[in-house]
Amino acid sequence: MFSRLPKNLVQRVMGVTGKDGAHLPARLGPSNVHAGRMFAHQDSLARLPIPPLQQTLYKYLMAVKPIISPEDYEVTKKIVDDFGKPGGVGQDLQMGLINRAKKMENWLSDWWLKVAYLDYRSPVIVNVSPGVVFPELSEFKGREGQLKQAATLINSVMDFKYLIDTQSVPVDKMAGQPLCMDQYYKILASCRIPGPKRDEVKIFPPTLSNAPKHIIIAYNNQFYSVDVLRPDGKPYSLNDIYAQLKYIVMATPVPAVPVGILTTEHRNTWGKIYKKMKKDHVNKDSFEKIKRSLFLVALDQDERPGEDASDIVMRGRQSLYGGGSMISSGNRWFDKTIQFWVGTSGCMGLTYEHCTAEGPPIVAMADQSLSKMNNLVTDFGSDTSNPPKPERLDFNISPDIVEAIEEAKHSVDVAHTDLQVSLFQFKEFGKNFPKSQRLSPDSFIQNALQYTFFKLYGYSTATYESGSLRKYKFGRTDTIRSATIESDQFVRGMCDPTKTPSEKVMLLRNAIAAHKQYTNDVINGDGIDRHLLGLKLIAIENGANVPDIFMDTAFTSCTHFRLSTSQVPAKHDLTMLFGPVVPDGYGICYNPQEHHFNFSVTAYNTSPETDSDRFADVLQESLMEMCHILVTAPPAAKL
Ligand code: COA
Ligand code: HC5
């Protein structure tokens, strides 16, 4: 049944040996699925290329030009020329990288997992794990509504798991080309494990003979293991799941000690505590259950006196970090890849730990769940197969752990106070408008972000946009550097009263074309950031000095991304958010729909430089101004 499953990958990345023969629930009829097609292209996906060294160095100079001074540029140019010259250190490193690529299916993916995620020591909340706010489903209100909503959600995620297990998820495509589907195998039954110096990730694939059959329910800070698959591999009914959830709520009248809040800690801190706690077998067993579970669903109490639970910012905060220690940050296990939360107000969302996958597979799961929930089943029937009672997960907590929990609560609340969150829907137009102008909507939005930043600060800044490398086997992302020479000319032109509307339109179209070109380069493996990272890492691996090009202030400036941005399209009206990556930066995520855009902007209050509400306001003005000049400017005179 799993003959097409990329076992070598499962074994290599997961560190576990998969066995065929797991029982699959026969719930969707064969007409609904295309069994086996998910990996039809997997073996023919191209390998991630290594761009020519001179090409990357040239593009690097072009990328730093708009964001550093002309004097600094001259210094950098000399350093870059030295690095790339015949016999220069760059040539050796390039050879090293080419040799590495010959031996591996993807020369970057293992490095990337470590450098971007497992070695990164800041807390996963805000810094790493994105949040997703779901549209409100007003049918599900109050405790009963919450439990029905959660049961339906669980049921529909299990449908998605079935698609994954039967390799039936429709193949994702970009510009008609199939993308690597490997990440879908890593989002369920996976968990990040903290370490005192470096984290690990564990994945329990459906091919294991003892593949997980349970999920975790969090309620009142207490975790329960709930079986969602019967011993024969078939799913428990909606009615069974609903009954399990009711049992949990009844059995947990008062909040438990919020052990889960420890997962919000700095990774070294949590890693040390975890190691210590694991010595106790009760703790170890509970950790094990959480680690192996398919996913987690947190039943939150989101209605509070004097507050509007449906307020989008509140839901954003709840999705990103649980909303604070007084709200739901203790009702979470942030190491778990997928954590949904369901409130009593009809609101819901999810947080996901990023190391195993990019946004699109998570959003595909969310989209599927919402489609099912929109076809609401209110009568859950009386069908029951008497599932085992939910198993309460206990922890033995020594006084120093109690202290650590108090410290973690404090840190979360500091993070809460420090984070400014602005979420809004731009309703004036959506993708339809740029398309009608024969412009790429994504490049249009990215240039609106450039224009906004320039209006606020008077210069262009290093900008990160996620560009997919999933055209390549096991590909993750590279950086689309949206601050280009052309975008800089555009934003300056827009602010120049001597420029005519037609000239501004020309600059805008030029900037959009440059962004689209950069995007195409990135998705075709000709980006510069991952290549430069590879050259740096190969130098480090060889025990060589870190080359000057990486010690130069221009490198620091161009990797200090004051704008960290990402487009994550979804079928439903989801709003996604993440934190800034530098103290004086903005985190900006958007979900473009045909007639509107959902945006999030985050910033830190501790930075006197940034203000997410102000950025959000100016961004809306920028979009309108750009639309206005495109619609009203007379066509430029032909030369
Ligand atoms: N004229 C008319 N229509 C155009 C156009 C033009 N010049 N250029 C693009 N369009 C259309 C496209 O055909 C597409 O149509 P659709 O809505 O029917 O699908 C739509 O506009 C969107 O295209 P565009 O805005 O150019 O963006 P994209 O879909 O090519 O996406 C990226 C661009 C960078 C977001 C994408 O390449 C990518 O890498 N995505 C992954 C990002 C990611 O992984 N994020 C999460 C990280 S965790
Ligand atoms: C559900 C929204 C997910 C968006 C997450 C995202 O874009 O993550 C980026 C991953 C990458 O490798 O580019 C990182 N970023 C948040 C810093 C942009």
Side-chain angles (χ1 to χ4, degrees):
M1 181 172 275
F2 282 104
S3 57
R4 283 197 183 139
L5 196 142
K7 274 193 216 108
N8 54 344
L9 162 83
V10 169
Q11 289 161 13
R12 184 171 59 78
V13 178
M14 302 176 178
V16 284
T17 306
K19 261 194 178 173
D20 287 1
H23 292 286
L24 294 174
R27 55 188 328 191
L28 299 175
S31 58
N32 295 28
V33 297
H34 306 283
R37 293 210 192 142
M38 180 175 165
F39 285 109
H41 305 276
Q42 197 68 10
D43 288 336
S44 48
L45 291 172
R47 283 180 174 207
L48 180 66
I50 296 175
L53 181 64
Q54 295 309 328
Q55 172 183 302
T56 292
L57 296 182
Y58 171 76
K59 285 187 176 179
Y60 172 63
L61 286 174
M62 292 307 104
V64 296
K65 206 167 193 174
I67 56 175
I68 61 174
S69 69
E71 301 76 48
D72 285 350
Y73 179 78
E74 287 312 315
V75 177
T76 298
K77 179 151 186 345
K78 167 97 185 50
I79 294 173
V80 171
D81 288 348
D82 276 354
F83 181 77
K85 73 184 178 202
V89 65
Q91 307 258 350
D92 279 353
L93 298 177
Q94 176 80 352
M95 276 316 296
L97 212 48
I98 290 169
N99 287 335
R100 174 182 163 91
K102 280 186 194 145
K103 292 180 258 162
M104 310 183 80
E105 286 190 284
N106 184 314
W107 61 265
L108 177 64
S109 52
D110 287 9
W111 267 346
W112 185 246
L113 179 66
K114 285 187 196 134
V115 175
Y117 297 107
L118 302 179
D119 288 352
Y120 182 75
R121 307 320 288 154
S122 294
V124 289
I125 55 156
V126 181
N127 301 301
V128 178
S129 301
V132 180
V133 182
F134 285 27
E136 197 174 338
L137 298 177
S138 52
E139 304 90 327
F140 293 112
K141 292 256 194 231
R143 179 70 70 205
E144 194 185 325
Q146 174 190 39
L147 302 189
K148 286 196 162 173
Q149 183 167 7
T152 320
L153 170 72
I154 293 163
N155 195 258
S156 51
V157 176
M158 292 309 288
D159 280 356
F160 198 78
K161 173 174 159 53
Y162 177 76
L163 294 183
I164 297 172
D165 292 357
T166 52
Q167 303 173 35
S168 310
V169 177
V171 177
D172 291 332
K173 295 202 167 150
M174 214 163 52
Q177 286 191 296
L179 303 183
C180 177
M181 296 296 284
D182 165 65
Q183 294 178 14
Y184 283 90
Y185 260 92
K186 299 174 178 167
I187 58 179
L188 293 174
S190 58
C191 197
R192 186 165 169 152
I193 314 295
K197 291 199 174 126
R198 165 182 285 183
D199 288 5
E200 286 176 87
V201 59
K202 294 274 185 216
I203 303 167
F204 301 91
T207 43
L208 286 175
S209 54
N210 62 345
K213 291 187 165 63
H214 67 284
I215 61 170
I216 301 294
I217 300 294
Y219 175 69
N220 252 342
N221 306 334
Q222 176 67 57
F223 300 101
Y224 287 87
S225 168
V226 174
D227 281 2
V228 282
L229 291 173
R230 300 189 327 205
D232 65 2
K234 291 195 176 132
Y236 283 110
S237 68
L238 262 175
N239 189 43
D240 280 336
I241 295 172
Y242 177 58
Q244 300 283 60
L245 300 180
K246 263 205 318 213
Y247 170 89
I248 288 171
V249 169
M250 297 292 286
T252 325
V254 289
V257 177
V259 183
I261 208 159
L262 291 167
T263 61
T264 65
E265 266 292 7
H266 187 280
R267 303 307 293 175
N268 290 357
T269 311
W270 172 217
K272 282 185 209 139
I273 297 170
Y274 183 86
K275 204 170 158 193
K276 188 168 176 199
M277 282 182 78
K278 219 177 122 183
K279 290 189 180 135
D280 179 300
H281 74 93
V282 172
N283 295 339
K284 190 175 174 207
D285 289 352
S286 296
F287 287 156
E288 196 63 20
K289 277 275 176 190
I290 295 174
K291 188 167 80 183
R292 294 179 59 91
S293 65
L294 297 168
F295 55 95
L296 184 149
V297 177
L299 303 173
D300 280 5
Q301 177 66 51
D302 60 340
E303 289 166 303
R304 282 168 293 276
E307 283 180 28
D308 173 10
S310 67
D311 172 51
I312 182 89
V313 171
M314 202 163 123
R315 284 186 277 154
R317 291 181 178 281
Q318 216 157 324
S319 302
L320 195 60
Y321 56 90
S325 75
M326 298 300 286
I327 306 203
S328 297
S329 298
N331 204 35
R332 299 281 188 278
W333 196 269
F334 286 99
D335 294 348
K336 196 70 201 153
T337 305
I338 310 260
Q339 293 194 87
F340 295 97
W341 68 268
V342 182
T344 47
S345 63
C347 299
M348 63 191 294
L350 69 82
T351 313
Y352 90 89
E353 199 292 308
H354 210 323
C355 75
T356 56
E358 257 56 76
I362 313 286
V363 164
M365 181 181 290
D367 268 334
Q368 145 108 8
S369 307
L370 280 161
S371 296
K372 173 143 186 195
M373 293 172 89
N374 283 334
N375 297 322
L376 173 68
V377 184
T378 42
D379 178 9
F380 287 3
S382 52
D383 185 17
T384 179
S385 29
N386 294 317
K389 284 230 164 342
E391 181 192 344
R392 198 180 74 196
L393 304 185
D394 289 323
F395 290 99
N396 284 329
I397 302 167
S398 54
D400 55 332
I401 303 298
V402 173
E403 212 173 291
I405 289 171
E406 289 307 312
E407 278 170 28
K409 279 185 185 172
H410 176 71
S411 304
V412 170
D413 293 339
V414 169
H416 166 80
T417 313
D418 193 16
L419 193 75
Q420 203 189 357
V421 175
S422 310
L423 307 182
F424 66 97
Q425 199 164 73
F426 177 80
K427 295 194 178 109
E428 302 301 325
F429 54 83
K431 287 191 287 186
N432 59 329
F433 173 70
K435 280 187 193 174
S436 72
Q437 294 287 322
R438 290 188 296 162
L439 295 170
S440 147
D442 187 65
S443 304
F444 184 88
I445 293 172
Q446 285 292 326
N447 276 288
L449 298 174
Q450 290 303 308
Y451 182 33
T452 304
F453 189 91
F454 188 82
K455 280 196 281 186
L456 289 170
Y457 299 98
Y459 59 89
S460 295
T461 192
T463 305
Y464 180 112
E465 181 190 7
S466 306
S468 181
L469 288 181
R470 284 178 59 208
K471 223 178 91 174
Y472 302 101
K473 201 167 191 182
F474 309 144
R476 300 283 309 247
T477 60
D478 201 342
T479 311
I480 302 168
R481 289 182 167 270
S482 300
T484 58
I485 292 172
E486 292 82 354
S487 72
D488 192 59
Q489 287 166 348
F490 156 62
V491 298
R492 285 176 195 280
M494 285 295 278
C495 298
D496 179 349
T498 68
K499 289 268 184 286
T500 65
S502 306
E503 285 171 325
K504 290 178 181 177
V505 165
M506 204 182 69
L507 291 170
L508 170 57
R509 287 192 175 274
N510 222 15
I512 288 179
H515 181 271
K516 192 68 201 173
Q517 181 61 50
Y518 204 119
T519 300
N520 286 337
D521 285 356
V522 162
I523 62 181
N524 290 311
D526 280 323
I528 62 170
D529 283 68
R530 302 300 179 263
H531 185 198
L532 290 170
L533 175 72
L535 294 168
K536 183 174 167 188
L537 291 177
I538 203 109
I540 293 170
E541 232 177 56
N542 292 346
N545 288 338
V546 175
D548 289 349
I549 186 172
F550 303 117
M551 308 302 277
D552 178 25
T553 48
F555 191 75
T556 313
S557 306
C558 83
T559 47
H560 185 91
F561 292 110
R562 288 195 63 193
L563 291 180
S564 168
T565 77
S566 188
Q567 177 191 150
V568 188
K571 289 198 187 95
H572 289 87
D573 234 348
L574 305 176
T575 305
M576 301 85 165
L577 69 162
F578 47 77
V581 295
V582 292
D584 57 348
Y586 293 98
I588 301 169
C589 195
Y590 48 95
N591 169 13
Q593 300 288 304
E594 209 50 34
H595 297 284
H596 66 267
F597 301 128
N598 290 346
F599 275 105
S600 66
V601 183
T602 58
Y604 292 116
N605 283 314
T606 36
S607 166
E609 292 276 308
T610 52
D611 179 345
S612 65
D613 286 342
R614 175 104 184 93
F615 194 99
D617 287 348
V618 179
L619 174 57
Q620 298 188 63
E621 285 166 21
S622 303
L623 289 163
M624 289 307 291
E625 280 178 59
M626 286 162 62
C627 168
H628 183 74
I629 56 157
L630 280 165
V631 173
T632 58
K638 285 212 170 87
L639 294 175

